[in-house]
Amino acid sequence: MPATARKITKGRKFDQVLEGARDVFMKDGFEGASVDDIAKTAGVSKATLYSYFPDKRLLFAEVAKCECHRQADNAIELETTDSTPGEVLFAAGQRMIEFFTSDFGLSMFRICTAESGRFPELGHWFYESGPLLVRARLVEYFQEAVAKGQLDISDYDLAADQFSELCKASFFPSLLCGVKTNVTQAETDRVLNGAVAMFMARHGVD
């Protein structure tokens, strides 16, 4: 267990502190966020905040861990009943793209990658509760679809990673680097349709 996890104390206002910290970190980043602002936004005293988190580093790590997990979990709620693989992948891809392109998703990705050098465990938490969780959900569906004879996949992890990357094609790097500030529905539809078509061309069963 990471050292940070052992030092966190939970109490009645723990979730309240996390929600306030989330708002401030998303707005000001790690360096710009002050403990005073976090306490004010959360509606707690600094003493209460410090009783849960001895320093800002621990608080940021916990916010990033919880939020990445929650957002990734919401992004890949697969509805598979009576749906074809193409339909399932299209719905999953839509949720993933909505998260990738949201202000929250971009901010969390930038902050986690920027601060992972400062405390490496954050990078591990971000990966495990974000990309790795999405992969696990996709792999679970792929295994079911292969068992039903709907898909032909030998390397499940690679297939899941490839589909995720296909859904980021064209717009994600430019958004992340600030070259673009938004994408249109037509742009995301183009990328998503292409991602599903390419995946099904490789793994679909006639």
Side-chain angles (χ1 to χ4, degrees), residues 70-80 83 87-102 105 134 137-138 163 167 171 185 188 192:
R70 185 172 72 179
Q71 292 294 328
D73 199 37
N74 291 338
I76 193 66
E77 292 179 359
L78 296 174
E79 297 292 339
T80 61
S83 298
E87 291 169 339
V88 172
L89 289 171
F90 190 88
Q94 278 185 317
R95 295 190 181 98
M96 292 161 64
I97 289 174
E98 286 172 3
F99 176 62
F100 294 153
T101 60
S102 69
V134 171
R137 292 296 175 82
L138 286 172
F163 181 70
C167 289
F171 57 77
Q185 187 64 50
T188 58
L192 180 54

Side-chain angles (χ1 to χ4, degrees), residues 1-10 14 17-18 21-22 25 30 35 38 49-66 115 118-119 121-122 125:
M1 178 182 293
T4 52
R6 292 197 300 268
K7 296 178 183 178
I8 293 173
T9 301
K10 293 191 176 182
F14 183 83
V17 170
L18 280 183
R22 174 191 180 279
F25 283 135
F30 178 78
V35 173
I38 293 172
L49 189 154
Y50 280 126
S51 71
Y52 298 141
F53 300 95
D55 61 57
K56 188 173 71 169
R57 173 179 175 272
L58 299 177
L59 178 55
F60 179 78
E62 185 67 14
V63 168
K65 178 183 177 183
C66 292
E115 300 300 336
R118 186 189 304 271
F119 36 107
E121 66 269 30
L122 178 61
W125 282 339

Side-chain angles (χ1 to χ4, degrees), residues 130-185:
L132 200 60
L133 177 60
V134 171
R135 177 203 282 176
R137 292 296 175 82
L138 286 172
V139 166
E140 182 179 351
Y141 168 67
F142 291 160
Q143 290 171 334
E144 294 175 0
V146 168
K148 293 177 182 178
Q150 297 174 318
L151 292 174
D152 179 12
I153 299 173
S154 57
D155 190 329
Y156 293 105
D157 287 346
L158 180 60
D161 290 342
Q162 287 176 334
F163 181 70
S164 296
E165 291 304 313
L166 286 171
C167 289
K168 295 179 182 178
S170 298
F171 57 77
F172 186 69
S174 58
L175 283 173
L176 196 61
C177 296
V179 176
K180 294 174 69 73
T181 57
N182 58 72
V183 291
T184 66
Q185 187 64 50

